[in-house]
Amino acid sequence: MEFPQGPICQSCGMPLRTDGDFGTKRDGSKGEDYCFHCFQGGKFLDEGITLQEKIEKNVKFGVQMGMPEDVARQMCETILPHLKRWRNE
């Protein structure tokens, strides 16, 4: 499985294609590493979540978006552990 092209959220792997996709820093300015689903106002919206919990959350979201569960799981288990937020977990 290949990593998505271009910048992606370093928490969930969402492609960051437009300015509106990026989360915000504490001062409200655009962040660089995380999407608006994960990071707003300089804080993670799911602070305290573990990598495994994030994988499960993203698998459920992928299934809701029409992905087969096994494909969503493989994608999450392949990509998420390599992202900045999870490397030291």
Side-chain angles (χ1 to χ4, degrees):
M1 177 159 294
E2 294 182 27
F3 278 85
Q5 296 298 312
I8 61 172
C9 175
Q10 293 297 303
S11 175
C12 73
M14 176 181 134
L16 301 171
R17 295 188 176 119
T18 68
D19 283 350
D21 291 339
F22 289 84
T24 55
K25 296 179 184 179
R26 190 171 304 161
D27 65 4
S29 64
K30 182 180 90 169
E32 299 168 4
D33 293 326
Y34 305 107
C35 74
F36 71 97
H37 293 292
C38 291
F39 198 75
Q40 293 181 20
K43 295 182 180 182
F44 286 107
L45 300 179
D46 56 4
E47 191 68 45
I49 196 170
T50 67
L51 172 58
Q52 193 57 48
E53 290 168 335
K54 187 71 165 181
I55 288 170
E56 295 304 321
K57 181 178 178 180
N58 283 17
V59 168
K60 286 180 187 175
F61 182 72
V63 169
Q64 289 174 349
M65 298 299 294
M67 255 184 193
E69 183 175 346
D70 61 329
V71 173
R73 183 168 303 285
Q74 181 184 16
M75 180 183 290
C76 291
E77 289 177 349
T78 300
I79 293 173
L80 268 61
H82 298 283
L83 299 177
K84 180 178 179 178
R85 183 176 181 188
W86 309 111
R87 279 190 220 133
N88 294 325
E89 191 170 292

